[in-house]
Amino acid sequence: MAENSSEINIKKANRAVGSALRAGIRLIGILLVVLLFHFVISMGYDFGYNLFAAPAMSAPPGREVTFTVEKGESTAEIIDGLADAGLIRDKLIFRCQIIFYDKILQPGEYDMNTSMTSKEILMYLDGGPASLQE
């Protein structure tokens, strides 16, 4: 009879351990989902913020840069040139701004400044080289 009661106690202990493990695994799963959700929300916020309110590369007065867009140059080449010149921070954001604001980058020579936001640069490139002189 004593052996039966010890076997019953072992089975109860095993069930308790199993239940605790399942609860722990569920808790870890829930925490992972919450962390993933937080990460996705943070990335979405950063992307949206930079799409609509991206800061300039430097504070005023900034640095003057002459940038040339050649006729027939692809959008990707122009974006690479802007990034290489230190005028834009994020190529993907700038490409999305071109699409979102429905702008066309006009060929010409532009005098720009690193204190211009990517949205200002986009509007300037859409208007053509004479857009700031008017």
Side-chain angles (χ1 to χ4, degrees):
M1 191 102 170
E3 287 181 31
N4 269 345
S5 100
S6 68
E7 285 178 17
I8 291 172
N9 287 338
I10 291 173
K11 287 180 182 179
K12 284 182 182 179
N14 286 341
R15 274 185 268 161
V17 169
S19 293
L21 283 174
R22 282 190 297 279
I25 289 171
R26 276 191 220 121
L27 182 61
I28 289 171
I30 290 169
L31 287 174
L32 288 175
V33 168
V34 168
L35 286 174
L36 179 65
F37 187 71
H38 173 73
F39 177 74
V40 169
I41 295 295
S42 295
M43 293 295 291
Y45 174 82
D46 288 343
F47 182 81
Y49 176 80
N50 285 320
L51 183 62
F52 296 108
M57 291 294 285
S58 61
R63 176 176 53 86
E64 294 296 324
V65 176
T66 300
F67 185 77
T68 304
V69 176
E70 301 293 336
K71 187 173 180 144
E73 196 171 14
S74 73
T75 302
E77 291 171 327
I78 296 168
I79 292 171
D80 287 341
L82 289 167
D84 292 343
L87 291 166
I88 61 171
R89 187 176 311 277
D90 189 314
K91 295 177 188 180
L92 176 63
I93 293 292
F94 194 77
R95 180 175 294 280
C96 290
Q97 285 176 327
I98 292 170
I99 294 166
F100 182 79
Y101 293 113
D102 194 27
K103 299 299 179 184
I104 297 172
L105 308 179
Q106 304 294 330
E109 188 171 287
Y110 299 86
D111 292 322
M112 291 189 261
N113 193 295
T114 56
S115 66
M116 294 171 73
T117 66
S118 58
K119 187 176 175 184
E120 291 172 332
I121 291 170
L122 178 61
M123 300 305 173
Y124 185 27
L125 292 174
D126 179 59
S131 65
L132 281 185
Q133 284 88 21
E134 296 173 5

